[in-house]
Amino acid sequence: MFAMVVSPALAQSRVIKIATVNNPEMLVLQELSKQFEEQNPDIQLDWQLFSENELRSYLARSYLRQVGRASEPAPGAGLPPEVEQFDIVTLGNYDIPIWVNWGWLVPLKVLPASYDVKDLLPRVRKGLSQGGVLYGLPFYGESSMTYYRTDLFQKAGLTMPDNPSYEDIAQFAKAVHDPDKEVYGICLRGKAGWGENMAYVSTLVNTFGGGWFDEHWNTTIDSPAWKEAVAFYIDLLHNYGPPHATRNGYKENLALFAQGHCGIWVDATVAAGFLSDNAKSKVSGNLGFAAAPIAKTPKGSHWLWSWNLAISASAEAPEEALRFLVWATSKDYIDRVAQQDGWAAVPPGTRQSTYSNPDYLKAAPFAGAVLDAMQSADPNDSTLQPTPYSGIQFVAIPEFQYIGTQVGQFISAALAGKLSVDSALAAAQNATSQTMRWAGYTTGYPQ
C-alpha cells in the first residue's frame, strides 16, 4: 500500500480575486504576476482594474453603508458586498486604519524573515500598523514634488530653487507659458475627487495656513486661507494652465507633461520614474526636480500616500493571498522590475534598501528628493493651527471620502467658471458642516 501524492500543479487552483488601480506601476505588477502563477501553480489570480476615482467611489459605498448615522460602525454589520467580492484589495494609507477598526482586514502577523519588515520606511510602515501589527503591505509610496522643464527654464534664464515658493511658481509659469506652441506654464489636478483635485488643493490650503476643521471639528472651508489658496489655484490655471483643466487628474497631467506640454507640474513623486524613461517620456532629458512649493508655512505642503495590498477578512484562502502579497512587495520583486524595465521604474517609496542601492541612485536622480519629501511629511502635524485630525491631503475619518469628493466638485465648478470662489467655498462649507453634524462630530446632530 502507498499514499498517492498529488503535485500542486494537479491540485485545484485557488482563485484569488484582486481589486486594484490601473496606475502604470500596478499594470506592471499584473504583467509580472504571471511569473508568480508559474511559481505557484496552486494559485490563479483574477484581476479587476479600476481608475483611482472608480476604486474610491466603489469602496465609498461600503463606507457610507457602514457609517450609517454615526461615526462608529454598526455592531455586527459584517462585511459589505463591495469588500466580500475580493480577497485582496488595493488600499491607501487613508483606508487601512479605518478598515482595521471595522474588522475588515486580516492581520499580517507572520511574515517570512526574508521579507525584512524593518526595511520598510518607518512612516509608511506606521500608517499600515495597529498595535505593532501590519494590516497591509506597501506596493509603492509617494509624496509630492515640483517637476519642471530644464530646457524651458534655461531658455527663459530662470533658476528653480530647491525649495520654491508659490510666488516663484506663478512667476515661472508666466515666463514659460507658450500656448501657441501647446506648452502651458503649469499643469495641476483639476478633475473632481477627494483623491484627485483635493489631494493637491488640500496641500495648497495647508501651506497657505488653513485646514479642514478647527480643534472642535467646526468646518473652516470659508476661512481666508481657503479663499486665498483656491483663488490662487484658479488664477494660476486660468492664466497659465492647459485648456479644460477640470478634465485633468493625475494620469492626464502625467501624459501632458511626458509629451512636453507642461512647463511645471506639482504632483506625485511616483511619476518621476515614468518621466525619466526616454522610451515613455519626451522630456526625460530635460527634467528637473524640486520640493513641493510653500506659501506661508512648510507644514502640509507635500502629502504622504501609499498604495498597499491587504487581505479582506472574507478571503477564503488568506494564506495563499498572503503568499502573493509578500511576493509583490518584496525586495525580490523590486529587483525583478529593475531587470525588466530598469532601476528608475521600480516601485518607489517603500524600502530603505532601495534608497541605499547604488544602482537605483545612479538611475534615479530624483531619489534623494523623493526620500526627503516622504521623511519630512508628518500626518500628525500638517497644519499651521491645531486640529483634531491626522492626515495631510486627507482627513483620517471615514466620512472624508464623501466630504472630499463633494468639496472637490465645488472647487472644480469654480475652476470651470460655473461658480465664483466665494460661492463654491460657501457651498462646500455648508455641505461639510451638515455632514459633520449628521455624523455626530459637532452639535446639531439630528435625532
Side-chain angles (χ1 to χ4, degrees):
M1 297 292 292
F2 63 92
M4 180 179 290
V5 177
V6 179
S7 71
L10 297 177
Q12 184 175 3
S13 297
R14 286 278 196 176
V15 177
I16 305 296
K17 296 182 178 180
I18 304 173
T20 194
V21 292
N22 62 355
N23 287 347
E25 295 75 15
M26 295 297 187
L27 297 179
V28 172
L29 173 61
Q30 185 185 21
E31 177 188 349
L32 289 177
S33 68
K34 296 173 185 176
Q35 298 178 20
F36 173 82
E37 290 177 305
E38 291 173 358
Q39 298 164 7
N40 297 268
D42 59 324
I43 297 175
Q44 179 183 344
L45 303 176
D46 180 10
W47 296 83
Q48 183 163 341
L49 301 177
F50 299 83
S51 71
E52 291 195 17
N53 265 1
E54 287 172 344
L55 182 62
R56 291 181 173 117
S57 176
Y58 183 82
L59 296 177
R61 301 175 203 165
S62 62
Y63 276 56
L64 291 174
R65 184 184 297 108
Q66 185 77 345
V67 169
R69 285 173 55 87
S71 59
E72 296 297 325
L79 272 69
E82 292 83 5
V83 177
E84 284 189 329
Q85 288 188 35
F86 298 102
D87 303 289
I88 295 174
V89 185
T90 303
L91 300 173
N93 52 316
Y94 162 77
D95 308 280
I96 296 265
I98 297 171
W99 283 45
V100 171
N101 289 338
W102 287 347
W104 289 0
L105 295 179
V106 173
L108 310 179
K109 294 181 179 179
V110 181
L111 296 169
S114 60
Y115 187 74
D116 194 3
V117 170
K118 292 184 179 179
D119 185 48
L120 299 177
L121 292 174
R123 284 206 191 277
V124 173
R125 188 173 75 234
K126 183 178 179 181
L128 311 180
S129 303
Q130 188 163 302
V133 177
L134 280 164
Y135 284 83
L137 299 182
F139 182 70
Y140 74 76
E142 65 180 35
S143 184
S144 52
M145 67 193 303
T146 303
Y147 301 95
Y148 65 98
R149 290 266 304 277
T150 56
D151 55 334
L152 298 182
F153 270 61
Q154 184 176 4
K155 182 179 179 181
L158 305 174
T159 301
M160 175 71 78
D162 291 337
N163 295 279
S165 69
Y166 267 109
E167 183 178 351
D168 292 330
I169 294 298
Q171 293 174 356
F172 296 155
K174 180 179 180 180
V176 300
H177 187 57
D178 192 355
D180 290 341
K181 296 182 179 179
E182 295 188 349
V183 174
Y184 307 100
I186 191 163
C187 294
L188 297 169
R189 299 188 189 192
K191 181 186 289 185
W194 76 268
E196 282 285 8
N197 63 343
M198 295 316 297
Y200 170 74
V201 171
S202 292
T203 63
L204 186 68
V205 169
N206 291 338
T207 193
F208 269 84
W212 283 86
F213 305 102
D214 68 14
E215 288 184 281
H216 306 289
W217 289 108
N218 295 306
T219 307
T220 55
I221 296 175
D222 61 352
S223 65
W226 270 84
K227 293 179 181 179
E228 186 177 1
V230 173
F232 175 86
Y233 160 77
I234 290 175
D235 285 346
L236 198 60
L237 280 175
H238 280 178
N239 292 330
Y240 314 120
H244 312 297
T246 56
R247 301 176 185 174
N248 298 334
Y250 168 75
K251 290 185 67 177
E252 292 80 9
N253 281 318
L254 175 64
L256 283 170
F257 196 95
Q259 292 299 310
H261 296 299
C262 307
I264 303 168
W265 181 35
V266 182
D267 213 295
T269 57
V270 72
F274 183 95
L275 294 175
S276 298
D277 186 343
N278 57 20
K280 300 174 182 176
S281 170
K282 293 182 178 180
V283 299
S284 59
N286 297 297
L287 185 58
F289 312 95
I294 294 169
K296 297 179 179 178
T297 174
K299 289 187 176 185
S301 59
H302 51 257
W303 65 65
L304 182 66
W305 181 259
S306 59
W307 277 119
N308 315 280
L309 301 176
I311 302 174
S312 165
S314 63
E316 295 183 0
E319 293 183 6
E320 288 83 353
L322 179 59
R323 207 187 310 168
F324 178 69
L325 260 64
V326 168
W327 182 89
T329 62
S330 65
K331 295 178 185 178
D332 287 343
Y333 177 80
I334 290 175
D335 290 340
R336 191 172 283 109
V337 175
Q339 291 169 14
Q340 174 176 288
D341 298 326
W343 274 102
V346 305
T350 61
R351 290 187 170 273
Q352 298 175 82
S353 57
T354 302
Y355 292 89
S356 60
N357 186 313
D359 293 327
Y360 182 67
L361 297 179
K362 181 180 179 180
F366 48 83
V370 173
L371 187 60
D372 287 345
M374 292 195 66
Q375 290 181 328
S376 63
D378 188 351
N380 295 314
D381 187 21
S382 62
T383 56
L384 190 60
Q385 302 300 324
T387 64
Y389 61 84
S390 64
I392 301 175
Q393 80 278 29
F394 58 77
V395 178
I397 58 174
E399 296 79 7
F400 186 75
Q401 283 214 36
Y402 175 73
I403 289 170
T405 294
Q406 192 173 36
V407 174
Q409 291 167 349
F410 290 123
I411 300 296
S412 184
L415 179 59
K418 298 176 181 178
L419 292 173
S420 68
V421 171
D422 286 348
S423 296
L425 295 183
Q429 171 79 15
N430 182 58
T432 302
S433 296
Q434 287 184 6
T435 300
M436 296 302 283
R437 288 194 298 270
W438 171 84
Y441 289 88
T442 54
T443 58
Y445 173 56
Q447 301 298 317

